[in-house]
Amino acid sequence: MPNIKVGFLSLGCPKNTCDTEVMLGLLNEKGYELVAEDIYADVMIINTCAFIQSAKEEAIESILDVAYLKEHHNLKGIVVTGCLATRYAADIEKSLPEVDAILSAGDEGKICEAVEAAFRGEKYISTAPTENLAFGGDRVVTTPEYTAYLKIAEGCDNRCAYCSIPDIRGRFRSRDMEDIVAEAHTLYDLGVRELCLVAQDTTRYGFDLTGRYMLSDLLERLCNEEGLDFKWIRLLYCYPDKITDELVAVMAKYKNIAKYIDMPIQHINDRVLGAMNRHGGSEVIKSAVKRLREAMPEITIRTTVIAGFPTETSDEWLELLDYIKETRFERLGAFTYSREEDTPAYSMKQVSEKQKQKRCDAIMEAQYRIHAENNEKQIGKTLTVLCEGYDPVGETYYGRSEADAPEIDGKVYFSAKRRLRDGEFAEVEITSTLDYDLVGKQV
């Protein structure tokens, strides 16, 4: 095998990050040299997303940017994998000749063969079913050493009318609990103290194995496992209809389960939720929020909503806006509906782009005020903050509290009494706010 320097670019969600890290683990095991800068790479791997139109455009732009290095620098090959490669392999082969190797998500285990072919300038295409995707394996963790994602399931059975994920990633399939716990041990031994559990539908974990939702069982196991002592175990991508009483009780029971949940609701109007093919209506959503807040008054609930879903009327959108103002989610992201081919919503009556954007902007304006008011209430409180670095320009440390997930939420900027290491936890008194962020001082 030649000495090949391999660079990578991972786009999209944390689940893609996990897949990228497994591929890098396979390359590392085979002795390839992994490089952080694309300009030094012989072969670049681009792990793509294709969930919505903007993600597809980002993936294509990234491929073209990397292709520039083939023409003007020393790059010899490009490997494209992930969701774009799974969904559009033939289109990539036809329209992007700069790409040397195409691997569907189900064939990411063949990454070494693809890299070698790309290095030689040979075309390599392999498109196995996504169900072939390996859950785990030795990973080269690309996140900061103190935090990591752990994928507990793959695929999705929900079949939301706007979503192409089931066609790209396949049916829902849970990972064996012993396998998950073993990887948690590996990550903990590497220094990880914040463990973020991810899947397309985290709350469905175990249902395909036992006929019941087992996320609460998994959390119990992780919290009681000898040799594991994570500071925060964080839940991402949970569905309101699967927030069981058992899950709520376990979250409230253990202090090292972050009082935080990422629970997209997408809408609140029952007709729109039905058109979306979301499981459970408005009462299910309201019940989940109520039970979580009653059990954990300090919980941070992050959600996402879609503005301008096909057939959404002004009154239905106003119902959503009123619910957001009333419920005052601690974290919320609003997105305009993205029309995806081969989904039921594609052929529905569309809302104009102008109207979609107007509705989305109004939601985010309301949420900005809610967030600002919630942040004001933090002044005077002392929060545990995970230090992520030091800003020499601002002469301040920065990090995240329990209420902030990696990459998607805000920061806490603070002064310290002594030098802090990245990954160290500090107690910080909040003294002011800065847009979506907080400012404080170590106590």
Side-chain angles (χ1 to χ4, degrees), residues 236-257:
L236 303 179
Y237 316 122
C238 301
Y239 277 62
D241 62 299
K242 303 179 188 73
I243 304 296
T244 64
D245 291 342
E246 292 81 7
L247 176 60
V248 174
V250 168
M251 289 184 67
K253 177 180 177 182
Y254 293 99
K255 65 178 183 179
N256 57 336
I257 297 177

Side-chain angles (χ1 to χ4, degrees), residues 190-211:
L190 288 173
V192 171
R193 293 300 176 264
E194 178 187 33
L195 187 69
C196 301
L197 303 184
V198 296
Q200 308 295 341
D201 179 355
T202 311
T203 34
R204 193 179 178 85
Y205 174 74
F207 190 81
D208 55 316
L209 301 177
T210 66

